[in-house]
Amino acid sequence: MGPRAGIAGVLVLLLLAPLALLFSAQPASAVGTLCLPSDTTACIAGTLRTEKDVLPGVKITVTGPDGQATEATTGDDGRWNVQVTKEGEYTVKIDDTTLPKNLATSGEVTVDAKFKATAPALIPIRTADYQASESYWDHLLQSSANGLRLGLLLALASVGLSLIYGTTGLSNFAHAEQVGLGGILGYFLINVHGLNLWVGGLLVMVLCGFTGWFQDRVMWQPLRRRGLGLTQLMIVTIGLSLAMQYCFQYFVGARTVRVVKDNPTVSTVGPITMTNQSFIAMGISILVLAAVGYALLRTRVGRATRAVSDNPALAAASGIDVDKVIRLVWTVSMALAGLSGLLYALVTNGIKWDSGMQILLLLFAAVTLGGLGTAFGALVGSIIIGLVVELSPVLGMPGDFKYATALLILILLLLVRPQGLLGRPERVG
């Protein structure tokens, strides 16, 4: 067997084994609902509530692409659901006459129904004396909170990406797919197999960390020892990224899958309104990032990692096992990416086969902005990118240009400071 065939076999084992084990069981039935999606049906569901209480007895009309309408009424817990037999866009509208006198809706919403899935319909409820023009400062604070949330989730993944670059010099284009792997594994473990969210989340980190260890043990270390250049290794990561995307599409299809079945609850702190899952995700991100920072600064392993990042040859000469440090970096980086993907799926209420690809440029922008190879630079860069993305519409940029705005700021900064915010300048020549 030649080396190319060996590498191909490794990729197949790496990508298919964890998902195949999880996919072997049939999905568990939903509990406490009247609608169960199947191969020929889809569900549209939601929970109608204000900031303080649920709204029972409210009539909702769901109109399909063929114009056929179906009615539903919210239960005592504010929940409702409708089963449909055709895929496509459905319009969901509330009958205002069934709402309490002091409440009204902000209009109708459109959802995309797919077989074997439940499409959430989030219908905004407002008080009758609501003013359409929201305070600019309240909008600014809300967008800043959303930006901080996005920045923290990006930081979990970009810190590992930066550590890999610092210790190996490799730009890993498959890193974003590890983020997607975390969300999809969370779907299979928690939604399909019914594990507790916390237990499932811990198992996601363990499995993703194992994929990092496995990758370095059977692929990256042998390729490094064979003397492959960084450009060749980077091309391998691109191929690995594409292979993982198609594996995800094979197992979950093109639909959006959710980690948890229940609709998220919303909490309000001053002018900031977020789901409880968003607040918890931000807290977990802060704790994990603080632990990683402490490990890098205060532990022997962390100091060895920084030494390998600064000068691998000198670190090896001083007695540090460079291969073991690199393998540990791969393991921890993939575990952090998996955690980021799980939290991202919870915050955005779902994940798709190409979700990783959608945030790939943001990850590289964060790492480059903060300084290539510096973990703390990746953290700072991620927070800046997250804030810029969410604040751009508030500051007058069209919503469709918010990602372009982040990349434009990256280019302008690199023109002034090529090494990034916390990177060290390098001599050329």
Side-chain angles (χ1 to χ4, degrees):
M1 180 183 295
R4 293 183 179 178
I7 293 176
V10 166
L11 289 176
V12 172
L13 289 174
L14 170 66
L15 299 172
L16 298 183
L19 291 176
L21 291 174
L22 295 172
F23 199 71
S24 58
Q26 296 295 324
S29 298
V31 179
T33 64
L34 298 177
C35 180
L36 298 177
S38 66
D39 292 339
T40 57
T41 61
C43 295
I44 301 174
T47 300
L48 203 60
R49 60 176 300 133
T50 64
E51 296 178 357
K52 297 181 179 179
D53 203 359
V54 296
L55 299 176
V58 178
K59 291 184 179 180
I60 297 173
T61 302
V62 180
T63 305
D66 56 358
Q68 185 176 359
T70 304
E71 289 189 354
T73 303
T74 58
D76 294 337
D77 55 359
R79 296 184 179 183
W80 63 273
N81 53 65
V82 170
Q83 188 176 67
V84 297
T85 57
K86 294 182 179 179
E87 294 184 320
E89 290 190 350
Y90 285 77
T91 301
V92 182
K93 187 175 182 180
I94 292 179
D95 183 356
D96 288 344
T97 61
T98 61
L99 285 172
K101 293 183 179 180
N102 63 328
L103 297 178
T105 61
S106 300
E108 58 189 31
V109 298
T110 302
V111 298
D112 189 17
K114 299 290 185 182
F115 291 157
K116 299 191 295 184
T118 298
L122 304 178
I123 307 174
I125 301 295
R126 57 178 173 82
T127 57
D129 56 353
Y130 172 82
Q131 298 296 324
S133 58
E134 183 185 14
S135 165
Y136 174 80
W137 295 108
D138 289 349
H139 191 23
L140 182 66
L141 288 175
Q142 178 67 58
S143 298
S144 299
N146 293 339
L148 180 61
R149 178 185 63 189
L150 176 61
L152 289 172
L153 295 180
L154 289 175
L156 283 176
S158 62
V159 164
L161 179 62
S162 186
L163 285 174
I164 291 174
Y165 180 87
T167 53
T168 66
L170 175 64
S171 297
N172 182 18
F173 280 83
H175 196 80
E177 268 53 62
Q178 290 289 152
V179 177
L181 177 63
I184 291 174
L185 285 176
Y187 161 71
F188 281 115
L189 290 171
I190 298 168
N191 193 329
V192 176
H193 290 264
L195 290 183
N196 175 270
L197 180 60
W198 296 98
V199 175
L202 182 60
L203 190 53
V204 165
M205 290 188 65
V206 172
L207 289 174
C208 289
F210 171 76
T211 63
W213 178 91
F214 186 75
Q215 284 183 54
D216 186 68
R217 181 67 181 86
V218 303
M219 183 165 59
W220 301 120
Q221 185 186 39
L223 291 178
R224 287 196 305 269
R225 289 181 175 178
R226 293 177 67 89
L228 264 72
L230 292 177
T231 302
Q232 296 166 296
L233 292 175
M234 184 178 66
I235 293 174
V236 173
T237 67
I238 295 174
L240 179 59
S241 172
L242 294 174
M244 293 181 72
Q245 287 179 30
Y246 289 120
C247 284
F248 296 159
Q249 192 174 25
Y250 174 80
F251 283 110
V252 302
R255 72 187 193 276
T256 299
V257 295
R258 302 175 62 187
V259 174
V260 294
K261 301 174 183 177
D262 296 333
N263 293 319
T265 56
V266 178
S267 297
T268 300
V269 179
I272 299 173
T273 301
M274 285 187 180
T275 62
N276 291 342
Q277 294 172 348
S278 294
F279 286 113
I280 295 174
M282 293 171 68
I284 293 175
S285 300
I286 292 172
L287 290 176
V288 172
L289 290 170
V292 172
Y294 177 84
L296 287 173
L297 296 175
R298 300 295 183 181
T299 64
R300 292 183 59 187
V301 174
R303 288 191 289 269
T305 301
R306 289 188 288 124
V308 173
S309 180
D310 290 338
N311 192 324
L314 182 60
S318 62
I320 297 176
D321 191 331
V322 175
D323 282 336
K324 285 187 177 180
V325 170
I326 292 177
R327 189 162 303 151
L328 177 63
V329 167
W330 273 98
T331 303
V332 174
S333 298
M334 297 302 105
L336 292 176
L339 176 62
S340 175
L342 176 65
L343 297 180
Y344 182 82
L346 290 172
V347 167
T348 59
N349 204 27
I351 197 164
K352 295 176 62 178
W353 66 277
D354 60 347
S355 294
M357 180 177 61
Q358 295 173 1
I359 66 171
L360 177 63
L361 281 180
L362 294 182
L363 291 178
F364 275 104
V367 171
T368 307
L369 180 66
L372 288 171
T374 61
F376 296 103
L379 171 60
V380 174
S382 298
I383 299 299
I384 293 175
I385 292 296
L387 290 173
V388 169
V389 166
E390 295 294 340
L391 287 175
S392 293
V394 181
L395 301 178
M397 292 295 295
D400 294 338
F401 286 89
K402 59 183 182 180
Y403 297 111
T405 304
L407 297 177
L408 176 62
I409 290 180
L410 169 66
I411 295 172
L412 294 176
L413 177 68
L414 293 180
L415 289 174
V416 179
R417 189 176 174 84
Q419 70 270 26
L421 292 174
L422 300 184
R424 294 174 303 176
E426 297 182 4
R427 275 174 45 178
V428 179

